[in-house]
Structure formats: structure tokens, C-alpha cells
Amino acid sequence: MRSKISVIGAGFVGSTLVQRLAERDYADVVMFDIVPNMPQGKALDMLQAGPVLGYDSLITGTNDYADTANSDIVVITSGFPRKPGMSRDDLVKKNQAIVGEVTEQVVKASPNCVIIMVTNPLDAMAQYAMHVSGFPRERIIGMAGVLDTARFRTFIAQELNVSVRDVQAYVLGGHGDSMVPLSRMCTVAGVPIAKLMSPERIEQIVQRTRDGGAEIVKLLGTGSAYFAPSASVLQMVDAILLDKKMILPCTVYLQGEYGMQNLFMGVPAKLGARGFEEVIEVELTDLEQKLLHKSADAVRELIKVMGI
Ligand code: TXD
């Protein structure tokens, strides 16, 4: 039996992700949206790329949750993206209603799936999906850290004129202006970047990473980033579907780890067939710990706004 993945929201992130998943050729993919006919049209177009690119993934576009039944993984991308000048947090109420309704339907159709949350504000939406679904924490994972880390790695690689593959980094915390790039642990082929760059330059790159989403929002004029976000979700799906046990920065529900209780936060987590299988606790400096807790406070504020 082929695996089944459903993607809710056939917008920029959702449809780009479905195309990437189809090209992996390891699962059938269902793309759901509330806009009539649009996901069907996109799915047909992607299906017709199969003979050219050589994949057999069945791609179905739908407006009916019944078609998503018994998915192994469901990725939720439905919701509004940011407009220029708008923070992720402004989105909270608007997207809470959408994520609530979507999660209810997803859980009914696929009670055993792993949910990957993408909709912003990410940490709050993951928390809300947990609240609505009643799923165990292993099966709700937010995507933000892989993307934020990819942005950080891109800028470091550009700066030092090395391959992105040689740059190792972690960005922790909430997906927002308070994210915590761990520059101390960023290395190029094992060499800490502090030996390769001035502290001022590192701080500039850290700041550009924090503003990475907003920089793209501003350039695009309408909508937000989707090429790197969809690639980041793909890596998480790979890790789960292929049971890779990859350690990736993900937003997961902490129960004591990093001194936090009952809160979604970006931390390194091991992903495998069961979803997230373990939180990896790295030793943080006092300052990093302080920044992580500040980031947690920002997420708690949003959760308060949602009234849960
Ligand atoms: O790092 C991250 N987590 C993110 C998050 C990176 C990039 C984008 N991020 C967020 O993902 C962004 O702020 C948005 O909240 C979502 C989706 O972004 P996208 O760029 O794909 O937005 P679009 O193109 O507007 O697509 C949203 C789709 C659109 O087709 C709507 O018709 C659909 O969502 N939509 C719904 N689908 C199903 N059910 C309901 N209720 C619904 N409402 C809207």
C-alpha cells in the first residue's frame, strides 16, 4: 500500500508542497481547499507533469474531506498569509477560526495521522490544533525551525562563500520576531562561526534571519514565502514517512523540557514514523535561556488572545 498524505490549503505553500511531494514518488497526495474546483485544477495539472518527470504519485484535488480519509500525514497550510507591515501575530484570530474548523474535519477523517502545522502564527496554531484534536503530542508538529535554520544557513554560506551543506545551525524558540538563532553552535565544517566572522557581522546575520520572512513579504508585495517553506515541510515529511530519525528544529509540545510546561516551542526534535519521538535538550547559556523564555512569553500572549 502506498502511503497517503493530505495537504489542506492549496495556496502557494500547499500547492508547491504537493508538487514537491509528488516528485518524491513515495505517496499518494490529496490537496484540499474550500475554493471550488481550484484544487482539482491544480491536481490535474500536476498529474500531467508525471509522465514528463517520471512519477506515479496519484494527486487528487478536492473540496471534500472524505477524500482525505486515513491519511498517514496531514499538512495544514490553510489560512491567510501576512500582508506587508502585518506581524504574524495579527493573524491569530483570523487563522484560529480556520485552523479550528480544519482540524476537526482532519481528525474525523484521519484519526491516526500525524499533523504538520504550517499556518501562522505557527506556535499558537499548533497549540490550538492540539486543543481541538486531543491528539497525543507526538502527532502534532509545527514547521518553522527548519525554515528559519535554512535562512540562517543560507546567509552564513553566502557570507563565507562555502556550500550550504557545510553549514550546521539551529534556530530555536517561537516562529516570530523573538526566535533564537543559536549562533554559538553554528559551525562551518566543524569550525564555530565565531572564528570566521566578527561578532557584529554575526549579529547582523542573526537579525536578517529574524526578519527573513518579512524581507520576502515586502519584496513580493502580496503573499509570503513559499518555496523554502514547502521545501522545509518536505524534509519533515521525509523524516516521518521514511522513519529517518532525523533531528530537526521543530515546534513541539513541551512537557518539562527546557523548563517549559504545556507549550509549543521550537526545539531540536527527533522525527520518525511515530511523529516526533524525542526532544533533544542542548545545554544553553544563561542568555540563550533567557531569550528562549522571552520567546515563550510571546507565544503565551498569543495563546491568551485565542482564549484557550
Ligand atoms: O514557517 C512557516 N510556518 C510559514 C507559515 C511559512 C510560510 C507561510 N506560512 C503561513 O502558511 C502563512 O502565513 C499562512 O498562514 C499559511 C499559508 O500560506 P500561503 O502562502 O500558502 O497562503 P495562500 O496562498 O493564501 O493559501 C492559503 C489557502 C488558500 O487557497 C485558501 O483558499 C485556503 O488556504 N483556505 C482554506 N482551506 C481549507 N479550509 C479553510 N477553511 C480555508 N480557508 C482558507
Side-chain angles (χ1 to χ4, degrees):
M1 277 274 279
R2 289 167 73 85
S3 300
K4 180 170 175 179
I5 304 169
S6 290
V7 177
I8 313 300
F12 283 103
V13 177
S15 59
T16 313
L17 172 64
V18 172
Q19 178 63 36
R20 293 191 193 285
L21 289 169
E23 288 176 19
R24 298 288 283 132
D25 207 12
Y26 55 24
D28 290 331
V29 191
V30 177
M31 176 166 44
F32 175 98
D33 205 286
I34 43 167
V35 177
N37 300 323
M38 179 270 277
Q40 290 87 334
K42 287 190 180 180
L44 197 56
D45 190 11
M46 287 180 202
L47 206 55
Q48 292 164 0
V52 182
L53 296 174
Y55 57 76
D56 293 296
S57 300
L58 181 62
I59 309 157
T60 309
T62 185
N63 309 113
D64 184 352
Y65 277 99
D67 292 320
T68 70
N70 300 317
S71 297
D72 299 288
I73 299 176
V74 178
V75 183
I76 299 181
T77 76
S78 49
F80 297 97
R82 277 192 290 169
K83 300 209 170 74
M86 194 178 182
S87 81
R88 291 185 184 87
D89 306 356
D90 296 332
L91 281 175
V92 73
K93 279 275 173 201
K94 276 183 139 180
N95 284 348
Q96 179 184 7
I98 294 175
V99 164
E101 170 208 313
V102 166
T103 304
E104 258 177 47
Q105 299 297 331
V106 162
V107 167
K108 245 188 258 170
S110 303
N112 299 314
C113 70
V114 173
I115 293 178
I116 299 179
M117 181 60 65
V118 178
T119 306
N120 270 330
L122 191 270
D123 315 80
M125 291 303 119
Q127 189 103 16
Y128 195 56
M130 174 111 173
H131 176 77
V132 172
S133 67
F135 270 17
R137 69 171 187 158
E138 292 73 21
R139 293 201 278 122
I140 299 195
I141 310 165
M143 187 291 288
V146 176
L147 172 64
D148 294 331
T149 302
R151 287 178 172 152
F152 194 43
R153 289 171 61 198
T154 304
F155 300 144
I156 301 277
Q158 268 187 339
E159 177 76 13
L160 296 173
N161 196 24
V162 296
S163 164
V164 288
R165 286 172 182 265
D166 293 328
V167 183
Q168 284 283 329
Y170 269 117
V171 175
L172 306 186
H175 183 52
D177 307 329
S178 61
M179 70 177 79
V180 188
L182 286 187
S183 46
R184 179 177 58 92
M185 290 171 55
C186 178
T187 56
V188 176
V191 181
I193 54 166
K195 293 210 183 304
L196 305 168
M197 267 188 256
S198 69
E200 296 74 33
R201 191 66 193 122
I202 292 174
E203 192 42 44
Q204 282 168 357
I205 290 178
V206 163
Q207 195 51 45
R208 190 174 178 199
T209 303
R210 285 207 186 95
D211 298 337
E215 184 179 359
I216 291 172
V217 166
K218 205 164 146 209
L219 288 168
L220 292 179
T222 52
S224 56
Y226 54 99
F227 291 113
S230 55
S232 303
V233 180
L234 182 74
Q235 189 175 43
M236 293 169 67
V237 172
D238 271 2
I240 296 167
L241 212 68
L242 306 175
D243 194 24
K244 278 175 165 284
K245 318 283 187 203
M246 275 176 98
I247 296 166
L248 298 172
C250 299
T251 301
V252 298
Y253 193 68
L254 298 182
Q255 289 181 311
E257 297 93 347
Y258 290 93
M260 290 182 207
Q261 274 298 346
N262 306 335
L263 187 74
F264 272 87
M265 263 284 108
V267 294
K270 190 197 279 179
L271 299 194
R274 284 179 287 124
F276 102 77
E277 301 186 346
E278 193 183 340
V279 172
I280 310 297
E281 291 202 70
V282 294
E283 211 171 302
L284 301 179
T285 64
D286 287 347
L287 178 64
E288 288 159 355
Q289 212 143 36
K290 220 166 111 195
L291 290 173
L292 192 63
H293 280 272
K294 203 171 135 212
S295 183
D297 288 341
V299 175
R300 282 196 193 96
E301 282 299 308
L302 287 183
I303 291 169
K304 231 186 271 164
V305 174
M306 294 196 302
I308 55 166

